[in-house]
């Protein structure tokens, strides 16, 4: 694929790395397009996932879990709150602490997010046999572990 994204020029000679990068980039673009169609910003998914797993997290918890910067979380939550996806409440015992709760609208939107990822996965993996999927999965796991080991485990899952 020619010039699929701005990072393609960074890969000089290794077709596998270029293909991995392009696949990741295009998967993200596909998901973003699907989310846009339901009126949601792609960046919200980073905050929605942990809230769906543990509603009422603090903003600091979200910074730690997502590994996003505090100002980014604050702006994202402000936008999500404005759109009725989350609500924030000050802790009665410690007014410096703010807890974030996902709303019913946010829960409905999360279901659509999962559908968008399922659709992207079906498109991306279409036509691959079980053997091909297994082989690709094993190779990707090895490559991912190589990077995790080099980064010393500092990796957002």
């Amino acid at each position: 694929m020619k010039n699929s994204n701005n990072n393609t020029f960074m890969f000089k000679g290794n077709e596998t790395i270029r293909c991995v990068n392009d696949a990741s980039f295009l998967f993200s673009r596909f998901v973003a397009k699907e989310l846009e169609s339901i009126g949601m910003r792609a960046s919200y998914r980073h905050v929605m996932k942990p809230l769906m797993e543990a509603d009422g997290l603090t903003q600091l918890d979200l910074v730690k879990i997502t590994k996003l910067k505090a100002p980014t979380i604050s702006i994202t939550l402000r936008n999500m709150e404005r759109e009725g996806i989350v609500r924030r409440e000050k802790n009665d015992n410690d007014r410096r602490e703010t807890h974030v709760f996902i709303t019913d609208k946010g829960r409905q939107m999360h279901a659509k997010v999962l559908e968008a990822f399922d659709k992207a996965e079906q498109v991306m993996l279409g036509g691959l046999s079980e053997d091909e999927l297994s082989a690709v999965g094993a190779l990707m796991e090895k490559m991912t572990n190589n990077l995790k080991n080099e980064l010393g485990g500092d990796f957002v899952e």
Side-chain angles (χ1 to χ4, degrees):
M1 174 177 288
K2 187 175 180 187
N3 297 326
S4 63
N5 68 63
N6 291 335
N7 293 322
T8 299
F9 73 92
M10 301 292 288
F11 303 108
K12 302 194 190 247
N14 192 306
E15 188 67 11
T16 300
I17 298 301
R18 187 194 59 76
C19 287
V20 168
N21 183 66
D22 285 350
S24 176
F25 174 79
L26 292 170
F27 184 87
S28 293
R29 287 217 29 212
F30 187 96
V31 169
K33 183 179 173 193
E34 290 293 309
L35 296 180
E36 187 178 292
S37 76
I38 63 170
M40 187 178 121
R41 298 178 197 194
S43 61
Y44 292 179
R45 65 188 166 95
H46 300 291
V47 173
M48 289 182 91
K49 183 180 186 291
L51 288 174
M52 288 300 294
E53 293 171 352
D55 204 16
L57 294 170
T58 66
Q59 288 186 211
L60 183 58
D61 292 334
L62 288 169
V63 167
K64 290 175 183 173
I65 291 167
T66 63
K67 301 216 188 311
L68 296 172
K69 294 184 176 168
T72 302
I73 289 292
S74 183
I75 291 167
T76 301
L77 290 174
R78 183 183 66 218
N79 292 333
M80 291 175 79
E81 190 173 37
R82 188 179 309 135
E83 294 176 31
I85 298 168
V86 299
R87 65 182 166 77
R88 293 187 278 185
E89 293 180 10
K90 291 280 186 190
N91 182 335
D92 288 337
N93 298 324
D94 183 352
R95 301 296 291 167
R96 296 170 297 174
E97 192 174 81
T98 301
H99 291 268
V100 183
F101 299 89
I102 196 152
T103 64
D104 287 339
K105 178 181 179 180
R107 290 181 195 287
Q108 292 168 358
M109 197 166 266
H110 185 261
K112 292 178 182 179
V113 170
L114 296 178
E115 289 173 16
F117 274 92
D118 285 345
K119 185 176 179 181
E121 183 178 312
Q122 288 171 11
V123 169
M124 187 173 194
L125 302 178
L128 297 177
S129 70
E130 288 299 318
D131 287 344
E132 289 171 324
L133 288 173
S134 183
V136 168
L139 293 171
M140 293 301 300
E141 188 171 348
K142 280 183 180 181
M143 290 189 286
T144 301
N145 284 335
N146 288 342
L147 291 169
K148 282 181 181 179
N149 291 338
E150 190 64 29
L151 291 170
D154 188 23
F155 180 75
V156 178
E157 296 199 18

